Amino acid sequence: MTQPYRPTLMVVKVGGSLFSDKREHRTLRQGVIEGFARQVADLADAAPGRVMLVSGGGSFGHAAVRSLNPDDPHATLPLTEANFALKWIWTRALRDRGAPAVPIQLAALCAFTAEGLEVEGGVVLRMLDAGLLPVLSGDSVVAPDGSLRILGSDRVPEAAVALWPGPVQVVALTDVAGILADGAAGSAVIEHVDADAPDAAYAAVWATAPWDTSRGMGGKLDAFVRIARAGADCHIVRGDPDATSLRHLLDAPETWPAALRGTRITCGRRAAGRASTR
Ligand SMILES: Nc1ncnc2c1ncn2[C@@H]1O[C@H](COP(=O)(O)OP(=O)(O)OP(=O)(O)O)[C@@H](O)[C@H]1O
Ligand SMILES: [Mg+2]
């Protein structure tokens, strides 16, 4: 059956770097969670059934998978529990603000296959059509050889692109203003990355500390180049827990306040098809 056309789905990822210290074990900045929950609840109120939240792993996810036994094909499983605890924290914070949040276990929707990620997202689509706000995170996902492998939070929006029969916009809120062009000391943000020519952006990424299992900005760029090639309009911007609102995300990105724009990653080949889809 062909799906009816739908307007843009907004996937907001809140980076773990914003609400926790990845070097620690399950510590949170509760005030920061509440600040972003307020903004995401308000966004979902403005666009019911068109918003999804993805939580970064932060001190929950990274701590669960830092030292894995290479002989155990299911060694990543504790990530499922750790990130579910995190999703529940977000769900409660969102519900406290009246948002119809529902935590979703990604491993029940996805599998790694030889061709890429297979997604069976029909139930999530039903939830969105019912006006719910899905809360997702990275997970421990089955691979072709039966082992479990990490699907990091930066890649979760790939599932949204696969299940949503309309345009998808991905906004990663993180602790920097975008991909900085001049290394750690610089402040110039790379405004646009063409997913078919990302070399300059990769050259700007600096090495990650060993305790960061998501490979920091390098991992995010890998994921977003892939997701942009699949058709999404991706953005990496600084998140501010005290910001009044995220409603500007519902307008065309060209009209967002300059200070809130960050780095946009799109695929040139797909730009024409996206122009009239909001
Ligand atoms: N060129 C670059 N521009 C900006 N940040 C960079 C760059 N190269 C590396 N980084 C690092 O990437 C970090 C952002 O990625 P990081 O994975 O820490 O955040 P996150 O994805 O929001 O958190 P989490 O992985 O817990 O969800 C920055 O804080 C910075 O240290
Ligand atoms: Mg990260």
Side-chain angles (χ1 to χ4, degrees):
M1 198 184 79
T2 34
Q3 295 283 352
Y5 173 80
R6 288 173 172 82
T8 304
L9 176 70
M10 188 69 52
V11 183
V12 179
K13 184 210 161 188
V14 182
S17 56
L18 286 167
F19 59 79
S20 68
D21 183 335
K22 278 177 263 195
R23 288 165 297 183
E24 295 180 1
H25 181 68
R26 295 201 185 200
T27 54
L28 285 178
R29 299 179 193 122
Q30 189 59 34
V32 173
I33 297 261
E34 277 161 26
F36 287 115
R38 170 180 52 76
Q39 294 170 46
V40 172
D42 174 65
L43 189 67
D45 191 41
R50 285 176 48 202
V51 178
M52 236 186 216
L53 174 66
V54 177
S55 176
S59 64
F60 279 61
H62 291 263
V65 294
R66 201 162 291 136
S67 48
L68 296 176
N69 174 2
D71 299 324
D72 178 358
H74 297 167
T76 61
L77 194 55
L79 180 64
T80 296
E81 186 276 329
N83 276 357
F84 204 93
L86 198 50
K87 285 193 287 275
W88 190 243
I89 289 168
W90 280 109
T91 300
R92 274 203 334 238
L94 288 160
R95 286 197 163 260
D96 284 349
R97 281 151 192 86
V102 178
I104 311 254
Q105 193 191 344
L106 193 75
L109 317 177
C110 294
F112 290 111
T113 70
E115 290 75 43
L117 197 64
E118 183 182 307
V119 180
E120 290 180 14
V123 171
V124 180
L125 195 54
R126 274 179 193 267
M127 288 179 172
L128 287 163
D129 284 348
L132 300 178
L133 167 57
V135 177
L136 292 97
S137 68
D139 209 338
S140 204
V141 166
V142 72
D145 63 358
S147 67
L148 297 175
R149 287 195 211 144
I150 298 171
L151 183 84
S153 57
D154 290 325
R155 275 192 72 180
V156 174
E158 232 178 290
V161 174
L163 69 86
W164 184 254
V168 176
Q169 184 160 298
V170 179
V171 178
L173 305 176
T174 186
D175 63 348
V176 282
I179 301 179
L180 303 177
D182 312 320
S187 59
V189 171
I190 297 178
E191 286 177 22
H192 182 247
V193 177
D194 181 339
D196 280 341
D199 291 1
Y202 276 108
V205 172
W206 61 83
T208 319
W211 37 259
D212 187 330
T213 58
S214 73
R215 295 189 300 109
M217 193 57 82
K220 205 181 304 302
L221 188 54
D222 280 351
F224 283 17
V225 159
R226 212 184 157 93
I227 294 165
R229 285 183 183 158
D233 182 4
C234 302
H235 301 258
I236 301 171
V237 304
R238 188 191 290 284
D240 174 3
D242 298 322
T244 358
S245 150
L246 286 174
R247 287 195 186 215
H248 63 278
L249 299 182
L250 299 173
D251 300 326
E254 301 76 23
T255 69
W256 297 355
L260 304 180
R261 270 185 224 163
T263 301
R264 183 177 192 180
I265 302 153
T266 58
C267 185
R269 283 172 290 145
R270 294 192 170 256
R274 225 183 23 246
S276 59
T277 53
R278 297 192 73 80

